[in-house]
Amino acid sequence: MDTLRVFFEWCETIDAVQPGLFKKIKSPVIPDGGSVDDTVIHTDEANEILEHLGRYEYATVEHMVWLILAKTGMRMGAAHALDVKDYRPGEEQPHLSIVHRPETATPIKNGRKGERPVSIEPDACEIVDDYLEQRRPDVTDEHGHDPLLASQQGRLSKSTIRRYVYKWSRPCAAGQRCPHDRNPEECEAATDLDQASKCPSSVTPHPIRRGYITRLLQAGVPVDVVSDRCNVSPAVIEEHYDVRTEDEKMRQRHQVLRETLGNADT
């Protein structure tokens, strides 16, 4: 279903199908016993949600959660671990520095090997700057650190991050028509935020990461670059993220060779 969805998204670019048709193709959650959950939030969907948040929830912590997850592809645990000092807008390349700090209850997956700077674009920096200047509460966590994602109680919990992802991945929350033919005024998942996860379209944070990685691969970004940026091995990318056909891979390799070698024989 994931591959079919990507195909229909491509078909839209050549006007072969009705616009938005790919959004109706939902990837199923594999039940217990399956090897992997292929649910994904594609980049176009994430951008629509970010556009809505930018209009109605600008520079709130909920906007920040989606901005960081959708624009960097980092894991939820890495986003949770970010401190204000990890935001480096003044560097030659603005970035977020992901650091493993188990002693302050902010470990990251893969420990020290998962530490890395993750670049962010200037438009994202503007939002982060406004959040820090206008929205972020002046709080520290129980270890005296200044968490980037913060509430009045301190560092935003992982469960709260997950809650915000559930909340805004519901199509009706972002002003879109319900693809499940439900009445938002009567739907439990729409009227009760505690039940947002019951919406068939709502997702956990990981599908945002999966969509981000998939889009990088489709754009022809070399696998080793994706691996370094997202801290995921090429083997895992190949098994769980790469939906390109062999012909697509060949064309993208050829394009990289042409750009690297110029007019030399490729």
Side-chain angles (χ1 to χ4, degrees), residues 248-266:
E248 288 174 328
K249 293 178 183 178
M250 176 191 67
R251 288 194 294 271
Q252 289 173 348
R253 288 194 299 267
H254 184 70
Q255 180 65 28
V256 170
L257 289 172
R258 287 179 60 87
E259 292 175 356
T260 303
L261 302 177
N263 294 326
D265 185 11
T266 58

Side-chain angles (χ1 to χ4, degrees), residues 41-94:
I41 285 284
H42 288 274
T43 302
D44 288 344
E45 290 179 282
N47 286 340
E48 287 179 2
I49 293 169
L50 283 172
E51 182 179 350
H52 180 88
L53 291 171
R55 183 175 302 170
Y56 299 107
E57 300 285 341
Y58 179 77
T60 62
V61 70
E62 298 183 34
H63 190 191
M64 283 288 294
V65 165
W66 272 88
L67 180 76
I68 290 172
L69 295 177
K71 293 300 185 180
T72 69
M74 71 174 64
R75 297 180 178 90
M76 179 181 67
H80 167 262
L82 290 171
D83 287 342
V84 173
K85 66 181 180 181
D86 298 326
Y87 170 52
R88 311 287 178 81
E91 303 289 337
E92 181 178 353
Q93 173 58 61

Side-chain angles (χ1 to χ4, degrees), residues 88-96 117-122 125 229:
R88 311 287 178 81
E91 303 289 337
E92 181 178 353
Q93 173 58 61
H95 66 271
L96 293 167
V118 178
S119 63
I120 52 176
E121 296 302 318
C125 287
R229 179 172 175 83

Side-chain angles (χ1 to χ4, degrees), residues 170 172 182 186-193 195-200:
R170 298 172 301 172
C172 61
R182 295 183 179 183
E186 301 175 355
C187 175
E188 182 182 29
T191 58
D192 184 353
L193 184 55
Q195 305 299 321
S197 62
K198 293 185 178 180
C199 171

Side-chain angles (χ1 to χ4, degrees), residues 117-163:
V118 178
S119 63
I120 52 176
E121 296 302 318
D123 57 343
C125 287
E126 290 181 12
I127 299 172
V128 179
D129 289 341
D130 288 342
Y131 163 77
L132 291 174
E133 293 174 7
Q134 305 171 21
R135 297 280 198 168
R136 182 190 176 277
D138 185 17
V139 296
T140 59
D141 64 13
E142 60 269 31
H143 300 280
H145 282 230
D146 300 318
L148 183 60
L149 297 178
S151 70
Q152 293 293 345
Q153 289 70 46
R155 186 178 301 274
L156 213 63
S157 68
K158 291 181 181 179
S159 61
T160 300
I161 294 174
R162 191 177 294 108
R163 176 187 176 93

